[in-house]
Amino acid sequence: MRILFFLFLTIVFLIPAQSQRETWQTREGKVNFLSDAPLEMIAASSNELRGVLDVEENTFAFAVSISSFDGFNSPLQRQHFNENYLESTLFPQTSFKGRIIEQVDFSNDGEYVIRAKGILNVHGVEQERIIKSTLVVKGNSISITSNFSVRLDEHNITIPRIVNQKIAEVIQVEVAAVLIKRSNP
Amino acid sequence: MKQLIGIWSILLWAGVVSVVNAQYLSYDCISEESDLIEGNYSTLLQSFDGSLWVGASAGCWKYDGENTLPVPLNGVFNTLDISAVYEDAEGKKWMGYSTGQVAYEDELGQFLPWEIEEGWPQARITAMQKDSLGQLWIATYGEGVYCYRKGRLYQFGKEEGLVSEDIYDLVIDQAGLVWAANDAGICLLSWQEGEKEVRSFSTTDGLPDNIVTHLFADPDSGVWLGTYDAGIAYCQVKNNQLKVSLPDIWPGGVVSSIAKVDQGQLWVGTQEQGLHVFMLKEQKVIRQETQLEHPPQRIVKLLFDQEGLLWILSHDQGLCRVQARLLNWDNLPVATQAIAIDQQNQIWVGSQKGLYYRPASGGALVPYKLAEDLNIISLHVDHHNRLWLGTFGEGLFILDAEKLDLQEIGAAHGLGNGSILSISGDANGIWLATLGGVYYSPSPSAGGLPRFSRPEATQSIGTDFLYCNHIDHAGNVWFGTDGHGVSYVQKDGTLKTFRTSKDGTSINAVYAITEDGRGRIWISTNDQQLYYLEEGSFQKPKKPMAFGRNEVIGIGSDHFGNILITHQRGLMVYDVATEETIDYHHFYQEAGFSPALNAVATDKEGKVWLGGIRQLLCYTPFYGKYRQQPRLHLEQISVYLDPLDFENKTVLKANENNLIFSYQGVWLSDPEEVRFRYQLKGFDQDWIATRDHQAVYSNLPPGRYEFVVTASQNNQFSSSEQRVSYAFRIRPPLYLQGWFIGASILLVVLLGRYFLQKREGRLQKEALLLKDKVESQYETLKSQINPHFLFNSFNTLVALIEENPKGAVTYVEKLADFYRSILQYREQDAVNLSEEIQVVKDYHFLLTQRYQDHLQLDIAALPQGKRVPPLVVQMLIENAVKHNVISRHHPLKISIYTEANYLVVENAIQPKLTKQPSTGFGLQNIRNRYALLSTLPVKLEQDEKFFRISIPLVVDKLSQ
């Protein structure tokens, strides 16, 4: 959590201080992932997705702590996930930050399909990605839903051969977050 | 003959006369006659199969020379606004939409949305290209460039260094570099060890303009840029540095498309100011005129196709084609009769009314004013660059254009005839073909005049009327005569004449002589034949040429050594290497070119100038290899109108024997001339020539076939054309297939064996039965003539005779009946149950005379229509009597009744004190006889009180 806090500080202070800068922050954020391998299906989720969206710059940053994922098939599986595969002590969090390609007018309510271009950091390996998301703007809140895939080999996550029938090479990730407007003085 | 002597003064009026003619390219716009929609065109592509694909705001159209058909894109997206069309190395098409969506063609030729996780761009797709690694590059107007790489879509945008994300165009050059054009110049995009790299170049790097609207990857190397304001520029990357070269002064216009026509010309289309042609060798831009009243102005795309045609897609004229090999000149005031090109590359044209010339600097053809309008019929430039003018009836002249000096040559110089039809010469001498025989003069020195004489050898040609002459590469001088074949004077001065060709046809009048690239002499004759000299005789070309009804007028050769043939419809080119002829009549049909006899000359650039009535035609041979025959492919094979997956399926069922083969031969130069020839090997004896695009076969018998089709654009077929084939097999029907026949034979054999075995078994059984029957009869007879029975019977009879003579008679009658029954039935397998019971009753009657009523027989009601083996029941009664005590105190009751399908004979057991010996024969005999009659067994039940035997009843077949 402390790291997350620093991330926020970084993001907040990196943005040049302007009067009435309009940013949106997560009120709630959920990440699910699903590994659908021939022998086993593993699903886990975290409710600790945090993020900000700078409407004027059209930029964003999201992060989630690896150790906050829960819902594995067994406690041992969770331990392996943290210790062997994602190495959460070395790389405690996963983040995605960048820019929205489309120009969206967030003052208008409505549903927008946007593409977010940015750097996805998983397991300490950065990959540039374009992630398609659906935004629903309604008054002072924005709901974001998104589906995308993460290839383990793209992030140097190696699976021992003995369990490679149990873990998929491509992990499906589902993100749902609600952001609310927060104006910085 | 009119003799003219003297020196003429010359009045030179060059440049005074205004332009009397125009040069233009023949454009041919197909849009009017096709179904191509009017609209906002976006792109033009030639597919590997030769067809043209036009992208537009309302869809995409495919033109194959014959039809213009919409590409089925309905339903792929809710828009049809195509902004980019691309064909990858596998021949798969990609469609880019102005909305940013992308569709691709699957194996069956249907278009499907290209589904990617990252989603489609939201901006107009301006270009798509795949690189050698299979990475798809997509340029957008507004979102930079996307690259689809290893299953992921990446963007090259502002973050990566693109100054502007509005990309006008993207190409991949011969070296594999990816170039993108935008408002800030050009960028080179690449991946360096997994990282994106963008190198931008602008006016500071030497570009003429920052707004680069078009890119054209030169097929040789480098990239041409088309700019908004400053025309074109050529860029190359050498030693990691960009080198830019800027040609000429730009006439103006926003460049929209560039195409390289063969190796000499770069065609540049502009958005609103039509076409410019950039001559690569001269490094200058020229403006090409057309015969069109409204030539294309708002150019969308230029394309130089596989056949060497240039295609122009424009908003104002739709799709037009240009045969850039041919440049027409018309509106000449007179009929051209002779052409010569001097050492300065000036073109001289002789006509019925004087001499014309075109300065080396280009421009129009202008009259060269002589004091008198001569009827010039032959021209020749000698090695001193003097022009020799042969006239019809007015003698020979030598013009030194530099010195403005005209000399008339006549009888004073040894020339005895004023009609000079042909002049040829080299450094050694000048040869004239006149209507008064051959004249020869050693080449005069500079400024000197010739001394003509008639060489001795040529006197034996046979006629004085000579049409043409030619000096070949070996120095032989050839003459075409009127009616006496073709002759040549060898270097040693002897004459050789050909009056017949190799196949025996006579060679009479010879109108033209030329020489091909292999040093072979070609002649054209008055009977519309072309011959070439090989191995000492003149022969026709192996692959016949299709002149049709067109009269061959002249022949010449270009600097590749190919033969040019002018005929009444225009120009035909015979490729000496491939032996193909291409007829270009289509491209000047409207202008109506009618060539003049022997008005052919080749200039220093290799262009061939052909003279016609009031016209000139300039033919530029192309260096590149272009398609000379239609691009052929099998479009569809259908079985009973259902399309067949013929790429994968080659074995058809017996009833899949109605086939339609559809094929397409794309020859965009002249689609109407495409002819096909097909043959179904295994069915057709010979080739079938047709214009149709379909071959129909119905009720094909089973067998192996191969459908072969070839196409031709000149209706001449040999074995060298591209051929497309489909080999397949129709399986015989089930009843004719080997395994089925084998299995059937096996089955018949097995069945036969089975029946034989069964029959044998039956015969054996029958033999056994017969034996049993005989034994039974024997036993029965034996028992009936058992002395004991007879003795008893006779004793009974004796008693009866005395006491009851009437009863004795009855007894004897019954006895006789009994014996008759035995005799009657013994031969039969089975008798009616009622008959058997009658026998039993008779037997019982005989027995009752002895046992009184101590032997009781109780016969229940018995069913009709049943049978039993004869004397079986009688035998059972006999057995019962034999083994049991019958007395007043121990009466024996025998019951006969039916139970289910059995007849039961039952009696109480009252064993005799002295046991009768039992042979056991009786029961066994019954069992054996039943084995053949019924599947039901004979049942024997015995307890302490009763003996019960059940015999199956056999159904009477007659009553069934």
Side-chain angles (χ1 to χ4, degrees):
Chain A
M1 287 310 289
R2 209 172 38 184
I3 287 145
L4 271 180
F5 179 69
F6 280 124
L7 173 81
F8 284 116
L9 284 186
T10 321
I11 290 161
V12 168
F13 287 109
L14 275 178
I15 297 162
Q18 281 180 9
S19 58
Q20 295 301 311
R21 170 165 290 279
E22 186 184 309
T23 60
W24 299 66
Q25 296 189 359
T26 45
R27 196 181 64 200
E28 53 197 67
K30 189 172 178 177
V31 181
N32 296 316
F33 77 76
L34 178 78
S35 156
D36 194 0
L39 290 185
E40 192 168 3
M41 191 158 107
I42 305 168
S45 64
S46 165
N47 287 324
E48 294 186 19
L49 175 71
R50 299 287 178 266
V52 287
L53 174 64
D54 183 326
V55 169
E56 277 163 41
E57 290 284 321
N58 226 20
T59 56
F60 62 87
F62 284 85
V64 64
S65 153
I66 294 299
S67 54
S68 67
F69 278 93
D70 206 353
F72 294 88
N73 294 343
S74 68
L76 183 68
Q77 204 172 56
R78 185 182 175 188
Q79 192 187 334
H80 282 160
F81 170 78
N82 277 302
E83 291 175 9
N84 298 1
Y85 303 138
L86 272 291
E87 298 176 275
S88 59
T89 48
L90 280 173
F91 313 111
Q93 64 170 2
T94 279
S95 64
F96 183 52
K97 46 192 161 186
R99 175 178 71 91
I100 297 172
I101 295 175
E102 286 80 7
Q103 289 292 333
V104 179
D105 183 1
F106 290 97
S107 57
N108 279 344
D109 285 5
E111 188 177 310
Y112 305 94
V113 175
I114 57 103
R115 286 164 305 139
K117 176 187 173 185
I119 304 294
L120 179 69
N121 185 330
V122 178
H123 192 233
V125 179
E126 294 190 333
Q127 284 291 337
E128 187 201 306
R129 293 293 301 275
I130 297 170
I131 292 175
K132 194 162 80 170
S133 310
T134 306
L135 305 189
V136 178
V137 181
K138 199 173 179 184
N140 281 337
S141 79
I142 302 174
S143 307
I144 300 179
T145 50
S146 177
N147 286 295
F148 59 97
S149 62
V150 175
R151 292 174 61 99
L152 297 186
D153 59 351
E154 284 182 350
H155 292 277
N156 285 352
I157 300 169
T158 46
I159 304 297
R161 185 166 291 180
I162 197 158
V163 291
N164 69 3
Q165 287 277 295
K166 294 189 172 187
I167 298 174
E169 286 173 20
V170 180
I171 307 294
Q172 296 299 324
V173 182
E174 215 176 279
V175 172
V178 177
L179 284 78
I180 49 170
K181 198 190 277 186
R182 183 162 302 175
S183 292
N184 290 351
Chain B
M1 189 176 292
K2 186 180 173 188
Q3 299 283 327
L4 288 168
I5 303 164
I7 300 168
W8 291 65
S9 59
I10 300 160
L11 297 166
L12 188 66
W13 285 13
V16 178
V17 182
S18 62
V19 176
V20 292
N21 49 75
Q23 61 171 56
Y24 63 86
L25 281 156
S26 183
Y27 281 52
D28 189 4
C29 295
I30 64 142
S31 319
E32 289 152 25
E33 57 202 73
S34 76
D35 301 324
L36 191 70
I37 34 90
E38 299 263 325
N40 224 342
Y41 302 120
S42 56
T43 188
L44 175 67
L45 171 116
Q46 185 171 36
S47 163
F48 289 132
D49 69 14
S51 57
L52 297 179
W53 294 56
V54 177
S57 57
C60 184
W61 275 258
K62 183 183 166 185
Y63 171 70
D64 59 15
E66 200 171 21
N67 298 307
T68 312
L69 297 169
V71 176
L73 290 169
N74 287 319
V76 180
F77 294 114
N78 53 12
T79 171
L80 284 168
D81 193 349
I82 304 295
S83 56
V85 183
Y86 172 64
E87 184 178 41
D88 65 19
E90 287 128 46
K92 200 162 133 184
K93 315 274 185 316
W94 293 77
M95 295 280 166
Y97 289 73
S98 66
T99 46
Q101 284 139 315
V102 178
Y104 73 100
E105 188 183 21
D106 70 0
E107 284 71 22
L108 296 169
Q110 285 171 328
F111 282 89
L112 303 170
W114 185 48
E115 300 286 359
I116 40 169
E117 189 184 303
E118 289 85 357
W120 294 297
Q122 302 285 311
R124 176 184 173 89
I125 310 283
T126 48
M128 289 183 285
Q129 291 281 319
K130 260 190 188 178
D131 63 19
S132 56
L133 298 171
Q135 300 179 145
L136 180 67
W137 295 82
I138 302 168
T140 69
Y141 191 78
E143 290 183 1
V145 176
Y146 288 87
C147 179
Y148 189 70
R149 177 178 197 257
K150 296 177 187 167
R152 292 244 186 267
L153 192 69
Y154 296 92
Q155 193 206 19
F156 285 72
K158 281 200 167 118
E159 289 95 337
E160 288 78 15
L162 280 186
V163 182
S164 163
E165 291 185 340
D166 295 343
I167 309 296
Y168 291 107
D169 206 353
L170 181 141
V171 292
I172 298 175
D173 71 7
Q174 287 296 309
L177 299 173
V178 181
W179 302 68
N182 60 17
D183 289 333
I186 50 171
C187 307
L188 280 170
L189 310 175
S190 61
W191 290 90
Q192 300 294 337
E193 288 159 7
E195 295 292 318
K196 288 184 270 192
E197 192 186 275
V198 175
R199 292 171 66 197
S200 298
F201 304 96
S202 64
T203 43
T204 54
D205 301 286
L207 299 189
D209 188 352
N210 269 343
I211 306 176
V212 178
T213 49
H214 179 68
L215 294 173
F216 172 71
D218 194 297
D220 297 319
S221 76
V223 166
W224 291 88
L225 316 184
T227 67
Y228 192 83
D229 261 342
I232 55 172
Y234 179 66
C235 292
Q236 262 183 310
V237 174
K238 276 186 179 167
N239 302 325
N240 232 11
Q241 296 291 313
L242 185 78
K243 288 201 181 268
V244 184
S245 39
L246 305 173
D248 208 18
I249 298 158
W250 180 242
V254 180
V255 175
S256 55
S257 188
I258 299 175
K260 194 174 181 183
V261 173
D262 199 52
Q263 293 171 1
Q265 303 167 9
L266 202 72
W267 284 58
V268 184
T270 63
Q271 282 181 8
E272 287 184 330
Q273 297 184 37
L275 287 158
H276 303 298
V277 180
F278 176 58
M279 306 305 287
L280 290 169
K281 199 174 151 211
E282 294 86 349
Q283 291 279 304
K284 66 174 187 185
V285 172
I286 57 167
R287 209 181 151 82
Q288 289 286 19
E289 299 293 333
T290 87
Q291 91 286 13
L292 295 179
E293 206 174 323
H294 301 289
Q297 290 298 312
R298 296 165 57 211
I299 311 296
V300 177
K301 189 87 179 168
L302 302 175
L303 187 146
F304 187 57
D305 81 0
Q306 298 161 359
E307 295 166 20
L309 286 174
L310 182 81
W311 291 87
I312 303 160
L313 182 68
S314 66
H315 289 310
D316 44 338
Q317 294 296 321
L319 192 58
C320 301
R321 63 182 168 177
V322 177
Q323 176 51 271
R325 291 176 176 95
L326 299 174
L327 193 64
N328 293 327
W329 297 63
D330 66 2
N331 221 6
L332 263 62
V334 285
T336 309
Q337 296 189 134
I339 299 180
I341 290 151
D342 68 15
Q343 290 170 7
Q344 279 90 43
N345 221 19
Q346 295 191 106
I347 294 148
W348 295 89
V349 173
S351 76
Q352 274 180 323
K353 288 183 178 164
L355 185 65
Y356 289 78
Y357 84 107
R358 178 191 188 237
S361 55
L365 204 64
V366 290
Y368 190 96
K369 203 68 184 168
L370 301 168
E372 187 179 332
D373 277 347
L374 297 170
N375 183 0
I376 300 165
I377 199 161
S378 58
L379 286 171
H380 170 71
V381 175
D382 71 10
H383 66 292
H384 300 302
N385 204 25
R386 288 193 299 182
L387 188 68
W388 295 57
L389 293 78
T391 67
F392 194 79
E394 295 166 318
L396 180 70
F397 298 84
I398 301 176
L399 173 68
D400 191 330
E402 285 168 41
K403 295 179 182 162
L404 304 178
D405 174 40
L406 184 74
Q407 300 278 342
E408 182 172 358
I409 309 298
H413 304 90
L415 183 62
N417 189 287
S419 293
I420 294 98
L421 269 58
S422 181
I423 311 169
S424 55
D426 56 18
N428 299 320
I430 298 282
W431 295 80
L432 306 180
T434 73
L435 293 181
V438 174
Y439 283 88
Y440 169 77
S441 160
S443 276
S445 56
L449 295 176
R451 293 290 320 162
F452 281 107
S453 62
R454 293 197 63 189
E456 188 64 30
T458 61
Q459 312 267 350
S460 59
I461 282 176
T463 175
D464 278 349
F465 289 128
L466 301 173
Y467 286 129
C468 52
N469 68 351
H470 172 82
I471 302 178
D472 72 14
H473 68 284
N476 298 320
V477 187
W478 293 80
F479 294 94
T481 72
D482 178 25
H484 287 76
V486 61
S487 303
Y488 71 98
V489 179
Q490 287 167 303
K491 273 200 148 175
D492 59 10
T494 56
L495 186 85
K496 196 162 165 36
T497 301
F498 295 90
R499 296 294 305 272
T500 54
S501 71
K502 195 180 182 182
D503 63 9
T505 50
S506 59
I507 299 171
N508 296 319
V510 174
Y511 290 151
I513 305 172
T514 190
E515 192 173 356
D516 72 14
R518 285 148 72 172
R520 301 183 301 192
I521 294 294
W522 288 70
I523 56 170
S524 72
T525 64
N526 59 324
D527 53 354
Q528 304 315 310
Q529 291 297 337
L530 278 186
Y531 297 96
Y532 67 91
L533 181 64
E534 195 165 82
E535 289 166 359
S537 62
F538 277 97
Q539 46 197 282
K540 289 174 188 162
K542 286 189 192 76
K543 189 164 179 174
M545 299 180 196
F547 304 116
R549 294 185 305 277
N550 306 307
E551 199 174 321
V552 175
I553 292 174
I555 54 175
S557 65
D558 65 17
H559 67 298
F560 290 118
N562 295 328
I563 299 296
L564 310 185
I565 302 138
T566 53
H567 56 79
Q568 277 178 327
R569 280 163 80 208
L571 172 70
M572 211 151 100
V573 177
Y574 177 80
D575 187 313
V576 174
T578 62
E579 300 194 330
E580 287 295 348
T581 42
I582 295 177
D583 198 335
Y584 292 109
H585 70 91
H586 196 78
F587 291 94
Y588 37 76
Q589 231 168 19
E590 279 178 48
F593 183 75
S594 27
L597 185 72
N598 280 343
V600 181
T602 304
D603 72 11
K604 300 237 170 339
E605 293 159 10
K607 290 176 182 163
V608 185
W609 294 80
L610 304 146
I613 312 296
R614 294 182 174 271
Q615 275 172 304
L616 271 182
L617 187 71
C618 177
Y619 167 74
T620 308
F622 282 174
Y623 284 80
K625 289 278 169 219
Y626 301 98
R627 188 166 280 289
Q628 295 182 328
Q629 284 294 359
R631 179 80 172 86
L632 183 68
H633 68 277
L634 263 183
E635 269 193 332
Q636 196 181 59
I637 299 174
S638 49
V639 176
Y640 285 105
L641 305 177
D642 285 333
L644 178 77
D645 178 15
F646 61 93
E647 306 263 330
N648 300 311
K649 192 175 174 183
T650 57
V651 180
L652 304 178
K653 289 184 202 143
N655 59 357
E656 292 179 323
N657 59 353
N658 275 30
L659 285 95
I660 299 174
F661 299 89
S662 308
Y663 39 82
Q664 177 67 15
V666 179
W667 178 247
L668 298 177
S669 303
D670 203 353
E672 285 176 9
E673 293 297 313
V674 177
R675 298 290 184 279
F676 300 97
R677 193 171 71 147
Y678 66 83
Q679 185 182 21
L680 185 64
K681 289 186 177 169
F683 187 83
D684 291 328
Q685 294 295 314
D686 218 331
W687 291 94
I688 295 159
T690 181
R691 288 185 71 159
D692 294 340
H693 293 232
Q694 275 191 345
V696 181
Y697 289 93
S698 52
N699 289 324
L700 285 176
R704 287 182 184 278
Y705 300 97
E706 188 181 15
F707 180 77
V708 188
V709 60
T710 72
S712 168
Q713 49 80 12
N714 51 21
N715 205 14
Q716 299 302 320
F717 291 93
S718 68
S719 54
S720 62
E721 295 96 20
Q722 179 203 359
R723 53 176 59 198
V724 172
S725 64
Y726 170 66
F728 63 102
R729 185 163 71 91
I730 295 180
R731 273 207 304 252
L734 188 68
Y735 59 83
L736 284 179
Q737 286 182 31
W739 68 268
F740 185 83
I741 294 169
S744 304
I745 291 170
L746 195 70
L747 191 71
V748 167
V749 167
L750 287 176
L751 275 174
R753 227 180 102 184
Y754 173 74
F755 282 118
L756 279 175
Q757 277 178 349
K758 211 172 169 186
R759 182 164 171 267
E760 208 166 299
R762 202 177 70 232
L763 287 174
Q764 275 177 2
K765 272 185 180 174
E766 275 173 5
L768 275 175
L769 182 68
L770 192 67
K771 193 178 150 213
D772 276 356
K773 211 155 88 178
V774 170
E775 278 173 5
S776 151
Q777 284 164 7
Y778 170 69
E779 275 305 308
T780 316
L781 282 172
K782 207 170 70 180
S783 70
Q784 307 321 333
I785 56 167
N786 185 339
H788 193 68
F789 176 75
L790 278 178
F791 170 75
N792 282 344
S793 298
F794 289 142
N795 273 345
T796 309
L797 189 60
V798 170
L800 277 175
I801 291 168
E802 285 180 0
E803 295 170 17
N804 184 4
K806 273 190 181 172
V809 171
T810 313
Y811 187 85
V812 172
E813 278 170 3
K814 292 282 183 188
L815 191 61
D817 277 350
F818 178 62
Y819 273 98
R820 197 184 61 241
S821 298
I822 290 170
L823 288 171
Q824 189 181 334
Y825 297 149
R826 61 179 177 154
E827 295 291 327
Q828 296 176 11
D829 285 338
V831 294
N832 269 330
L833 186 55
S834 56
E835 289 169 334
E836 177 72 11
I837 294 301
Q838 191 55 51
V839 175
V840 168
K841 279 179 178 167
D842 289 347
Y843 184 54
H844 179 248
F845 177 81
L846 298 177
L847 291 176
T848 48
Q849 298 305 315
R850 198 176 137 214
Y851 295 113
Q852 304 297 322
D853 51 358
H854 309 317
L855 177 66
Q856 294 169 17
L857 187 64
D858 181 15
I859 300 174
L862 296 169
Q864 291 291 313
K866 303 285 181 180
R867 291 163 82 89
V868 287
L871 307 175
V872 163
V873 184
Q874 183 268 327
M875 197 184 282
L876 293 173
I877 306 290
E878 192 182 327
N879 267 351
V881 172
K882 185 178 169 187
H883 294 290
N884 290 292
V885 173
I886 304 169
S887 65
R888 181 192 296 260
H889 302 291
H890 296 98
L892 182 70
K893 184 180 175 186
I894 301 172
S895 307
I896 298 174
Y897 57 92
T898 53
E899 191 178 83
N901 240 347
Y902 280 93
L903 183 75
V904 183
V905 179
E906 184 188 278
N907 63 281
I909 296 177
Q910 306 175 107
K912 285 185 175 169
L913 293 175
T914 52
K915 256 201 165 162
Q916 287 294 311
S918 172
T919 57
F921 173 81
L923 270 176
Q924 191 54 46
N925 177 270
I926 292 171
R927 283 208 169 102
N928 288 348
R929 285 161 73 186
Y930 261 105
L932 295 173
L933 286 172
S934 170
T935 53
L936 297 168
V938 175
K939 291 193 283 189
L940 182 76
E941 289 163 89
Q942 188 175 5
D943 54 23
E944 286 175 3
K945 288 183 178 169
F946 286 96
F947 182 85
R948 189 183 292 123
I949 188 150
S950 307
I951 56 169
L953 287 168
V954 181
V955 178
D956 185 357
K957 282 174 189 152
L958 291 172
S959 69
Q960 233 179 359

